[in-house]
Amino acid sequence: AQRVTQPEKLLSVFKGAPVELKCNYSYSGSPELFWYVQYSRQRLQLLLRHISRESIKGFTADLNKGETSFHLKKPFAQEEDSAMYYCALGVAGNQFYFGTGTSLTVIP
Amino acid sequence: GAGVSQTPSNKVTEKGKYVELRCDPISGHTALYWYRQSLGQGPEFLIYFQGTGAADDSGLPNDRFFAVRPEGSVSTLKIQRTERGDSAVYLCASSRTSGGVGYADTQYFGPGTRLTVL
């Protein structure tokens, strides 16, 4: 069965420190992975997806099929990065499976 | 153009009542999705439309939930005989296409409707 696991519900880092938000997935087919972010009082918005291989707001994520992971990384956290982050798996038919989310707090 | 919009933003109702939640997708997006997000959880898939037809309603929890999209644009999620356990944020999303084999199209989300059943 398809599943997305985000093991950390809460994560706090100091400004300027590296940050990594973990995401593991379970899917027998070819996965499409996404990271969505929700800032305070705003809607869910796409941060990045693995096929575009972009760096958005300094964040990157690499799909590791061997470890079935899609961890989100940023070398130097900023205060404006404080938000809720959701990893999502897109499967055939465009059904998305979301993790439970990680709340990131960047301490000034 | 405008993003996905949802109305109302908040809905408080009493147990046993009927509610309708509306979603207006991004213009030109053919696919529309409904999700439910309970406290502390990620969005949970309910139903997805390709055009006017429900392509996948496997996430609807029971027959009290129903959704329509009669003209292939605006969609309404309908909940009959509401129960306290239906309290959640109901999210709508749309995508330009419904993806394909090995390809999932980006979904764009609305602000959600917070439903509270007393």
Side-chain angles (χ1 to χ4, degrees), chain A residues 9 30 32 34 36 38 43-44 46 49 51 86 90-96 98-100, chain B residues 4 33 35 37 40-43 45 48 56 95 98 102-107 109-111:
Chain A
K9 280 199 106 44
S30 182
E32 294 258 8
F34 302 76
Y36 279 81
Q38 188 168 28
R43 67 185 66 191
L44 265 174
L46 178 70
R49 57 183 298 174
I51 64 167
Y86 293 95
V91 304
N94 230 38
Q95 185 171 140
F96 275 30
F98 284 84
T100 51
Chain B
V4 177
Y33 313 81
Y35 293 85
Q37 187 172 20
Q41 301 297 315
F45 170 80
Y48 130 67
D56 183 349
S95 62
S98 59
Y103 173 71
D105 206 353
T106 299
Q107 296 184 18
F109 283 81

mmCIF file of all heavy atoms in Angstrom, chain A residues 9 30 32 34 36 38 43-44 46 49 51 86 90-96 98-100, chain B residues 4 33 35 37 40-43 45 48 56 95 98 102-107 109-111:
data_model
loop_
_atom_site.group_PDB
_atom_site.id
_atom_site.type_symbol
_atom_site.label_atom_id
_atom_site.label_comp_id
_atom_site.label_asym_id
_atom_site.label_seq_id
_atom_site.Cartn_x
_atom_site.Cartn_y
_atom_site.Cartn_z
ATOM 1 N N LYS A 9 7.408 15.286 13.920
ATOM 2 C CA LYS A 9 6.272 16.209 13.914
ATOM 3 C C LYS A 9 6.752 17.628 14.133
ATOM 4 O O LYS A 9 6.183 18.580 13.614
ATOM 5 C CB LYS A 9 5.276 15.826 15.013
ATOM 6 C CG LYS A 9 4.376 14.688 14.629
ATOM 7 C CD LYS A 9 3.144 14.630 15.487
ATOM 8 C CE LYS A 9 1.830 15.076 14.899
ATOM 9 N NZ LYS A 9 1.533 14.627 13.580
ATOM 10 N N SER A 30 6.421 3.697 -10.049
ATOM 11 C CA SER A 30 7.377 4.786 -10.223
ATOM 12 C C SER A 30 6.842 6.021 -9.503
ATOM 13 O O SER A 30 5.812 6.563 -9.896
ATOM 14 C CB SER A 30 7.553 5.081 -11.715
ATOM 15 O OG SER A 30 8.499 6.100 -11.909
ATOM 16 N N GLU A 32 6.183 9.801 -7.888
ATOM 17 C CA GLU A 32 6.362 11.231 -8.101
ATOM 18 C C GLU A 32 6.294 11.854 -6.713
ATOM 19 O O GLU A 32 5.298 11.699 -6.011
ATOM 20 C CB GLU A 32 5.230 11.785 -8.958
ATOM 21 C CG GLU A 32 5.219 11.268 -10.364
ATOM 22 C CD GLU A 32 5.786 12.276 -11.352
ATOM 23 O OE1 GLU A 32 6.329 13.308 -10.929
ATOM 24 O OE2 GLU A 32 5.682 12.017 -12.548
ATOM 25 N N PHE A 34 6.669 15.145 -4.007
ATOM 26 C CA PHE A 34 6.481 16.586 -3.899
ATOM 27 C C PHE A 34 6.729 17.013 -2.450
ATOM 28 O O PHE A 34 6.482 16.244 -1.516
ATOM 29 C CB PHE A 34 5.037 16.995 -4.241
ATOM 30 C CG PHE A 34 4.573 16.600 -5.609
ATOM 31 C CD1 PHE A 34 4.224 15.296 -5.904
ATOM 32 C CD2 PHE A 34 4.459 17.551 -6.607
ATOM 33 C CE1 PHE A 34 3.779 14.936 -7.164
ATOM 34 C CE2 PHE A 34 4.008 17.203 -7.877
ATOM 35 C CZ PHE A 34 3.673 15.898 -8.155
ATOM 36 N N TYR A 36 5.232 20.147 -0.165
ATOM 37 C CA TYR A 36 4.346 21.295 -0.045
ATOM 38 C C TYR A 36 4.661 21.993 1.276
ATOM 39 O O TYR A 36 5.051 21.365 2.257
ATOM 40 C CB TYR A 36 2.877 20.861 -0.045
ATOM 41 C CG TYR A 36 2.315 20.590 -1.420
ATOM 42 C CD1 TYR A 36 2.544 19.381 -2.063
ATOM 43 C CD2 TYR A 36 1.550 21.557 -2.072
ATOM 44 C CE1 TYR A 36 2.028 19.133 -3.335
ATOM 45 C CE2 TYR A 36 1.030 21.323 -3.338
ATOM 46 C CZ TYR A 36 1.273 20.109 -3.964
ATOM 47 O OH TYR A 36 0.759 19.880 -5.219
ATOM 48 N N GLN A 38 3.197 25.068 4.101
ATOM 49 C CA GLN A 38 2.078 25.904 4.543
ATOM 50 C C GLN A 38 2.585 26.891 5.577
ATOM 51 O O GLN A 38 2.895 26.512 6.717
ATOM 52 C CB GLN A 38 0.958 25.043 5.114
ATOM 53 C CG GLN A 38 -0.303 25.828 5.411
ATOM 54 C CD GLN A 38 -1.490 24.933 5.693
ATOM 55 O OE1 GLN A 38 -1.354 23.803 6.166
ATOM 56 N NE2 GLN A 38 -2.683 25.422 5.394
ATOM 57 N N ARG A 43 -2.397 29.116 2.502
ATOM 58 C CA ARG A 43 -2.778 27.822 1.964
ATOM 59 C C ARG A 43 -1.559 26.964 1.662
ATOM 60 O O ARG A 43 -0.440 27.473 1.574
ATOM 61 C CB ARG A 43 -3.610 28.007 0.683
ATOM 62 C CG ARG A 43 -2.832 28.603 -0.472
ATOM 63 C CD ARG A 43 -3.742 28.859 -1.662
ATOM 64 N NE ARG A 43 -4.741 29.877 -1.399
ATOM 65 C CZ ARG A 43 -5.771 30.146 -2.173
ATOM 66 N NH1 ARG A 43 -5.962 29.444 -3.278
ATOM 67 N NH2 ARG A 43 -6.626 31.093 -1.870
ATOM 68 N N LEU A 44 -1.799 25.695 1.492
ATOM 69 C CA LEU A 44 -0.752 24.782 1.051
ATOM 70 C C LEU A 44 -0.237 25.222 -0.316
ATOM 71 O O LEU A 44 -1.036 25.497 -1.221
ATOM 72 C CB LEU A 44 -1.327 23.373 0.891
ATOM 73 C CG LEU A 44 -1.210 22.376 2.029
ATOM 74 C CD1 LEU A 44 -1.979 21.122 1.685
ATOM 75 C CD2 LEU A 44 0.237 22.051 2.300
ATOM 76 N N LEU A 46 2.966 24.497 -3.366
ATOM 77 C CA LEU A 46 4.049 23.639 -3.809
ATOM 78 C C LEU A 46 5.393 24.301 -3.533
ATOM 79 O O LEU A 46 5.601 25.473 -3.853
ATOM 80 C CB LEU A 46 3.905 23.364 -5.304
ATOM 81 C CG LEU A 46 5.012 22.510 -5.924
ATOM 82 C CD1 LEU A 46 4.899 21.072 -5.434
ATOM 83 C CD2 LEU A 46 4.942 22.574 -7.447
ATOM 84 N N ARG A 49 9.178 19.707 -6.610
ATOM 85 C CA ARG A 49 8.866 18.333 -6.987
ATOM 86 C C ARG A 49 10.123 17.718 -7.568
ATOM 87 O O ARG A 49 10.951 18.428 -8.148
ATOM 88 C CB ARG A 49 7.719 18.262 -7.982
ATOM 89 C CG ARG A 49 7.916 19.046 -9.266
ATOM 90 C CD ARG A 49 6.697 18.957 -10.150
ATOM 91 N NE ARG A 49 6.428 17.579 -10.567
ATOM 92 C CZ ARG A 49 5.356 17.212 -11.256
ATOM 93 N NH1 ARG A 49 4.444 18.096 -11.591
ATOM 94 N NH2 ARG A 49 5.183 15.960 -11.588
ATOM 95 N N ILE A 51 10.917 15.824 -10.075
ATOM 96 C CA ILE A 51 11.280 15.728 -11.489
ATOM 97 C C ILE A 51 11.838 17.043 -12.025
ATOM 98 O O ILE A 51 12.547 17.058 -13.015
ATOM 99 C CB ILE A 51 10.100 15.279 -12.357
ATOM 100 C CG1 ILE A 51 8.962 16.300 -12.330
ATOM 101 C CG2 ILE A 51 9.617 13.910 -11.950
ATOM 102 C CD1 ILE A 51 7.919 16.044 -13.399
ATOM 103 N N TYR A 86 4.880 19.413 4.226
ATOM 104 C CA TYR A 86 4.258 18.122 3.932
ATOM 105 C C TYR A 86 4.932 17.485 2.723
ATOM 106 O O TYR A 86 5.101 18.125 1.679
ATOM 107 C CB TYR A 86 2.768 18.274 3.609
ATOM 108 C CG TYR A 86 1.919 18.720 4.763
ATOM 109 C CD1 TYR A 86 1.621 20.064 4.951
ATOM 110 C CD2 TYR A 86 1.413 17.798 5.675
ATOM 111 C CE1 TYR A 86 0.841 20.482 6.019
ATOM 112 C CE2 TYR A 86 0.632 18.208 6.738
ATOM 113 C CZ TYR A 86 0.356 19.553 6.895
ATOM 114 O OH TYR A 86 -0.422 19.963 7.953
ATOM 115 N N GLY A 90 2.690 11.223 -5.370
ATOM 116 C CA GLY A 90 1.687 11.193 -6.432
ATOM 117 C C GLY A 90 1.773 9.862 -7.167
ATOM 118 O O GLY A 90 2.852 9.448 -7.569
ATOM 119 N N VAL A 91 0.612 9.213 -7.319
ATOM 120 C CA VAL A 91 0.607 7.911 -7.995
ATOM 121 C C VAL A 91 -0.260 7.999 -9.242
ATOM 122 O O VAL A 91 -0.874 9.032 -9.512
ATOM 123 C CB VAL A 91 0.101 6.801 -7.063
ATOM 124 C CG1 VAL A 91 0.942 6.759 -5.790
ATOM 125 C CG2 VAL A 91 -1.358 6.996 -6.696
ATOM 126 N N ALA A 92 -0.301 6.922 -9.996
ATOM 127 C CA ALA A 92 -1.077 6.890 -11.227
ATOM 128 C C ALA A 92 -2.507 7.327 -10.950
ATOM 129 O O ALA A 92 -3.112 6.905 -9.967
ATOM 130 C CB ALA A 92 -1.056 5.482 -11.807
ATOM 131 N N GLY A 93 -3.046 8.154 -11.826
ATOM 132 C CA GLY A 93 -4.375 8.688 -11.588
ATOM 133 C C GLY A 93 -4.341 9.958 -10.778
ATOM 134 O O GLY A 93 -5.368 10.523 -10.430
ATOM 135 N N ASN A 94 -3.131 10.421 -10.467
ATOM 136 C CA ASN A 94 -2.959 11.709 -9.795
ATOM 137 C C ASN A 94 -3.481 11.734 -8.371
ATOM 138 O O ASN A 94 -3.734 12.793 -7.813
ATOM 139 C CB ASN A 94 -3.600 12.851 -10.596
ATOM 140 C CG ASN A 94 -2.627 13.999 -10.785
ATOM 141 O OD1 ASN A 94 -1.448 13.786 -10.991
ATOM 142 N ND2 ASN A 94 -3.130 15.211 -10.681
ATOM 143 N N GLN A 95 -3.652 10.568 -7.757
ATOM 144 C CA GLN A 95 -4.019 10.582 -6.346
ATOM 145 C C GLN A 95 -2.766 10.865 -5.528
ATOM 146 O O GLN A 95 -1.714 10.250 -5.747
ATOM 147 C CB GLN A 95 -4.624 9.235 -5.935
ATOM 148 C CG GLN A 95 -5.129 9.251 -4.518
ATOM 149 C CD GLN A 95 -5.923 7.993 -4.164
ATOM 150 O OE1 GLN A 95 -5.782 7.494 -3.066
ATOM 151 N NE2 GLN A 95 -6.727 7.495 -5.062
ATOM 152 N N PHE A 96 -2.889 11.790 -4.603
ATOM 153 C CA PHE A 96 -1.775 12.175 -3.756
ATOM 154 C C PHE A 96 -1.941 11.577 -2.371
ATOM 155 O O PHE A 96 -3.029 11.569 -1.813
ATOM 156 C CB PHE A 96 -1.718 13.701 -3.622
ATOM 157 C CG PHE A 96 -0.980 14.411 -4.731
ATOM 158 C CD1 PHE A 96 -0.947 13.896 -6.012
ATOM 159 C CD2 PHE A 96 -0.321 15.603 -4.475
ATOM 160 C CE1 PHE A 96 -0.281 14.556 -7.026
ATOM 161 C CE2 PHE A 96 0.353 16.263 -5.494
ATOM 162 C CZ PHE A 96 0.373 15.749 -6.768
ATOM 163 N N PHE A 98 -0.347 12.137 1.390
ATOM 164 C CA PHE A 98 0.435 13.086 2.164
ATOM 165 C C PHE A 98 0.941 12.462 3.457
ATOM 166 O O PHE A 98 0.272 11.609 4.055
ATOM 167 C CB PHE A 98 -0.416 14.310 2.527
ATOM 168 C CG PHE A 98 -0.627 15.265 1.395
ATOM 169 C CD1 PHE A 98 -1.635 15.049 0.472
ATOM 170 C CD2 PHE A 98 0.179 16.386 1.262
ATOM 171 C CE1 PHE A 98 -1.832 15.940 -0.576
ATOM 172 C CE2 PHE A 98 -0.011 17.279 0.219
ATOM 173 C CZ PHE A 98 -1.014 17.052 -0.703
ATOM 174 N N GLY A 99 2.116 12.939 3.891
ATOM 175 C CA GLY A 99 2.580 12.601 5.221
ATOM 176 C C GLY A 99 1.847 13.448 6.248
ATOM 177 O O GLY A 99 1.036 14.306 5.902
ATOM 178 N N THR A 100 2.167 13.220 7.508
ATOM 179 C CA THR A 100 1.487 13.940 8.577
ATOM 180 C C THR A 100 2.074 15.321 8.822
ATOM 181 O O THR A 100 1.540 16.090 9.601
ATOM 182 C CB THR A 100 1.534 13.145 9.883
ATOM 183 O OG1 THR A 100 2.893 12.758 10.135
ATOM 184 C CG2 THR A 100 0.666 11.892 9.795
ATOM 185 N N VAL B 4 -7.325 28.752 -6.562
ATOM 186 C CA VAL B 4 -8.482 27.980 -6.161
ATOM 187 C C VAL B 4 -9.183 28.707 -5.010
ATOM 188 O O VAL B 4 -8.524 29.139 -4.062
ATOM 189 C CB VAL B 4 -8.066 26.569 -5.711
ATOM 190 C CG1 VAL B 4 -9.276 25.775 -5.228
ATOM 191 C CG2 VAL B 4 -7.349 25.843 -6.838
ATOM 192 N N TYR B 33 -9.891 17.982 -7.028
ATOM 193 C CA TYR B 33 -9.722 17.019 -5.939
ATOM 194 C C TYR B 33 -10.298 17.590 -4.641
ATOM 195 O O TYR B 33 -10.201 18.784 -4.387
ATOM 196 C CB TYR B 33 -8.235 16.725 -5.697
ATOM 197 C CG TYR B 33 -7.465 16.442 -6.956
ATOM 198 C CD1 TYR B 33 -7.008 17.488 -7.751
ATOM 199 C CD2 TYR B 33 -7.199 15.147 -7.352
ATOM 200 C CE1 TYR B 33 -6.317 17.254 -8.919
ATOM 201 C CE2 TYR B 33 -6.491 14.899 -8.521
ATOM 202 C CZ TYR B 33 -6.061 15.957 -9.298
ATOM 203 O OH TYR B 33 -5.373 15.710 -10.457
ATOM 204 N N TYR B 35 -9.987 16.905 -0.440
ATOM 205 C CA TYR B 35 -9.254 16.268 0.645
ATOM 206 C C TYR B 35 -9.890 16.682 1.972
ATOM 207 O O TYR B 35 -10.544 17.718 2.073
ATOM 208 C CB TYR B 35 -7.786 16.721 0.677
ATOM 209 C CG TYR B 35 -6.949 16.274 -0.499
ATOM 210 C CD1 TYR B 35 -6.934 17.001 -1.682
ATOM 211 C CD2 TYR B 35 -6.157 15.135 -0.413
ATOM 212 C CE1 TYR B 35 -6.155 16.600 -2.760
ATOM 213 C CE2 TYR B 35 -5.363 14.726 -1.478
ATOM 214 C CZ TYR B 35 -5.373 15.462 -2.639
ATOM 215 O OH TYR B 35 -4.596 15.058 -3.691
ATOM 216 N N GLN B 37 -8.665 17.238 6.029
ATOM 217 C CA GLN B 37 -7.503 17.313 6.916
ATOM 218 C C GLN B 37 -7.977 17.447 8.350
ATOM 219 O O GLN B 37 -8.531 18.475 8.732
ATOM 220 C CB GLN B 37 -6.595 18.484 6.533
ATOM 221 C CG GLN B 37 -5.302 18.500 7.311
ATOM 222 C CD GLN B 37 -4.315 19.531 6.796
ATOM 223 O OE1 GLN B 37 -4.689 20.478 6.104
ATOM 224 N NE2 GLN B 37 -3.028 19.354 7.103
ATOM 225 N N GLY B 40 -3.678 17.685 13.165
ATOM 226 C CA GLY B 40 -2.448 16.929 13.335
ATOM 227 C C GLY B 40 -2.157 15.922 12.249
ATOM 228 O O GLY B 40 -1.206 15.141 12.353
ATOM 229 N N GLN B 41 -2.982 15.938 11.210
ATOM 230 C CA GLN B 41 -2.800 14.987 10.116
ATOM 231 C C GLN B 41 -2.538 15.716 8.803
ATOM 232 O O GLN B 41 -2.808 16.904 8.682
ATOM 233 C CB GLN B 41 -4.055 14.119 9.958
ATOM 234 C CG GLN B 41 -4.427 13.335 11.194
ATOM 235 C CD GLN B 41 -3.362 12.341 11.576
ATOM 236 O OE1 GLN B 41 -2.829 11.616 10.725
ATOM 237 N NE2 GLN B 41 -3.026 12.281 12.847
ATOM 238 N N GLY B 42 -2.024 14.974 7.821
ATOM 239 C CA GLY B 42 -1.916 15.537 6.498
ATOM 240 C C GLY B 42 -3.227 15.421 5.753
ATOM 241 O O GLY B 42 -4.149 14.732 6.211
ATOM 242 N N PRO B 43 -3.345 16.088 4.625
ATOM 243 C CA PRO B 43 -4.573 15.964 3.829
ATOM 244 C C PRO B 43 -4.816 14.511 3.423
ATOM 245 O O PRO B 43 -3.888 13.798 3.049
ATOM 246 C CB PRO B 43 -4.284 16.840 2.607
ATOM 247 C CG PRO B 43 -3.253 17.821 3.067
ATOM 248 C CD PRO B 43 -2.407 17.056 4.036
ATOM 249 N N PHE B 45 -7.080 12.074 0.913
ATOM 250 C CA PHE B 45 -7.844 12.099 -0.336
ATOM 251 C C PHE B 45 -9.280 11.623 -0.127
ATOM 252 O O PHE B 45 -9.536 10.630 0.558
ATOM 253 C CB PHE B 45 -7.147 11.193 -1.350
ATOM 254 C CG PHE B 45 -7.934 10.934 -2.605
ATOM 255 C CD1 PHE B 45 -7.964 11.872 -3.632
ATOM 256 C CD2 PHE B 45 -8.653 9.760 -2.767
ATOM 257 C CE1 PHE B 45 -8.686 11.633 -4.777
ATOM 258 C CE2 PHE B 45 -9.373 9.506 -3.905
ATOM 259 C CZ PHE B 45 -9.383 10.445 -4.926
ATOM 260 N N TYR B 48 -11.844 12.587 -6.663
ATOM 261 C CA TYR B 48 -11.218 13.369 -7.722
ATOM 262 C C TYR B 48 -12.090 13.322 -8.971
ATOM 263 O O TYR B 48 -12.672 12.298 -9.311
ATOM 264 C CB TYR B 48 -9.789 12.856 -7.914
ATOM 265 C CG TYR B 48 -9.314 12.519 -9.285
ATOM 266 C CD1 TYR B 48 -9.149 13.504 -10.251
ATOM 267 C CD2 TYR B 48 -8.956 11.217 -9.592
ATOM 268 C CE1 TYR B 48 -8.667 13.186 -11.508
ATOM 269 C CE2 TYR B 48 -8.468 10.891 -10.849
ATOM 270 C CZ TYR B 48 -8.324 11.873 -11.807
ATOM 271 O OH TYR B 48 -7.854 11.563 -13.044
ATOM 272 N N ASP B 56 -12.445 8.967 -9.396
ATOM 273 C CA ASP B 56 -12.032 8.113 -8.279
ATOM 274 C C ASP B 56 -12.686 8.664 -7.011
ATOM 275 O O ASP B 56 -12.363 9.767 -6.607
ATOM 276 C CB ASP B 56 -10.505 8.118 -8.143
ATOM 277 C CG ASP B 56 -10.000 7.182 -7.047
ATOM 278 O OD1 ASP B 56 -10.813 6.679 -6.248
ATOM 279 O OD2 ASP B 56 -8.779 6.955 -6.995
ATOM 280 N N SER B 95 -5.741 20.682 -10.782
ATOM 281 C CA SER B 95 -4.524 20.550 -11.582
ATOM 282 C C SER B 95 -4.887 20.679 -13.051
ATOM 283 O O SER B 95 -6.020 20.404 -13.456
ATOM 284 C CB SER B 95 -3.806 19.217 -11.308
ATOM 285 O OG SER B 95 -4.605 18.117 -11.666
ATOM 286 N N SER B 98 -4.881 15.516 -15.394
ATOM 287 C CA SER B 98 -4.995 14.471 -14.373
ATOM 288 C C SER B 98 -3.786 13.554 -14.395
ATOM 289 O O SER B 98 -3.812 12.462 -13.867
ATOM 290 C CB SER B 98 -6.273 13.668 -14.588
ATOM 291 O OG SER B 98 -6.262 13.090 -15.883
ATOM 292 N N GLY B 102 2.887 7.110 -14.856
ATOM 293 C CA GLY B 102 4.184 7.562 -14.385
ATOM 294 C C GLY B 102 4.326 9.061 -14.259
ATOM 295 O O GLY B 102 5.429 9.574 -14.091
ATOM 296 N N TYR B 103 3.228 9.784 -14.317
ATOM 297 C CA TYR B 103 3.293 11.248 -14.221
ATOM 298 C C TYR B 103 2.128 11.764 -13.398
ATOM 299 O O TYR B 103 0.969 11.500 -13.694
ATOM 300 C CB TYR B 103 3.243 11.867 -15.619
ATOM 301 C CG TYR B 103 3.141 13.372 -15.599
ATOM 302 C CD1 TYR B 103 4.216 14.166 -15.206
ATOM 303 C CD2 TYR B 103 1.956 14.011 -15.945
ATOM 304 C CE1 TYR B 103 4.118 15.536 -15.166
ATOM 305 C CE2 TYR B 103 1.844 15.384 -15.906
ATOM 306 C CZ TYR B 103 2.931 16.152 -15.516
ATOM 307 O OH TYR B 103 2.830 17.507 -15.473
ATOM 308 N N ALA B 104 2.442 12.502 -12.364
ATOM 309 C CA ALA B 104 1.427 13.130 -11.526
ATOM 310 C C ALA B 104 1.563 14.642 -11.677
ATOM 311 O O ALA B 104 2.653 15.187 -11.498
ATOM 312 C CB ALA B 104 1.608 12.722 -10.064
ATOM 313 N N ASP B 105 0.491 15.308 -12.030
ATOM 314 C CA ASP B 105 0.521 16.747 -12.247
ATOM 315 C C ASP B 105 0.435 17.483 -10.923
ATOM 316 O O ASP B 105 -0.212 17.012 -9.969
ATOM 317 C CB ASP B 105 -0.642 17.155 -13.152
ATOM 318 C CG ASP B 105 -0.348 18.430 -13.913
ATOM 319 O OD1 ASP B 105 0.694 19.079 -13.638
ATOM 320 O OD2 ASP B 105 -1.161 18.810 -14.769
ATOM 321 N N THR B 106 1.042 18.650 -10.862
ATOM 322 C CA THR B 106 1.035 19.452 -9.638
ATOM 323 C C THR B 106 -0.381 19.865 -9.293
ATOM 324 O O THR B 106 -1.140 20.304 -10.155
ATOM 325 C CB THR B 106 1.905 20.700 -9.812
ATOM 326 O OG1 THR B 106 3.244 20.269 -10.080
ATOM 327 C CG2 THR B 106 1.895 21.555 -8.553
ATOM 328 N N GLN B 107 -0.729 19.737 -8.019
ATOM 329 C CA GLN B 107 -2.042 20.164 -7.541
ATOM 330 C C GLN B 107 -1.900 21.496 -6.806
ATOM 331 O O GLN B 107 -0.978 21.692 -6.020
ATOM 332 C CB GLN B 107 -2.637 19.098 -6.623
ATOM 333 C CG GLN B 107 -2.907 17.789 -7.357
ATOM 334 C CD GLN B 107 -3.586 16.754 -6.498
ATOM 335 O OE1 GLN B 107 -4.166 17.060 -5.464
ATOM 336 N NE2 GLN B 107 -3.533 15.504 -6.933
ATOM 337 N N PHE B 109 -3.803 24.169 -4.287
ATOM 338 C CA PHE B 109 -4.797 24.065 -3.228
ATOM 339 C C PHE B 109 -5.512 25.374 -2.935
ATOM 340 O O PHE B 109 -4.943 26.466 -3.081
ATOM 341 C CB PHE B 109 -4.133 23.571 -1.937
ATOM 342 C CG PHE B 109 -3.849 22.103 -1.949
ATOM 343 C CD1 PHE B 109 -2.739 21.598 -2.592
ATOM 344 C CD2 PHE B 109 -4.718 21.215 -1.339
ATOM 345 C CE1 PHE B 109 -2.495 20.226 -2.636
ATOM 346 C CE2 PHE B 109 -4.484 19.855 -1.368
ATOM 347 C CZ PHE B 109 -3.374 19.366 -2.018
ATOM 348 N N GLY B 110 -6.756 25.233 -2.505
ATOM 349 C CA GLY B 110 -7.517 26.351 -1.992
ATOM 350 C C GLY B 110 -7.231 26.554 -0.512
ATOM 351 O O GLY B 110 -6.487 25.774 0.090
ATOM 352 N N PRO B 111 -7.848 27.570 0.082
ATOM 353 C CA PRO B 111 -7.588 27.891 1.492
ATOM 354 C C PRO B 111 -8.291 26.961 2.472
ATOM 355 O O PRO B 111 -7.973 26.954 3.653
ATOM 356 C CB PRO B 111 -8.122 29.321 1.626
ATOM 357 C CG PRO B 111 -9.175 29.414 0.578
ATOM 358 C CD PRO B 111 -8.725 28.564 -0.547
#
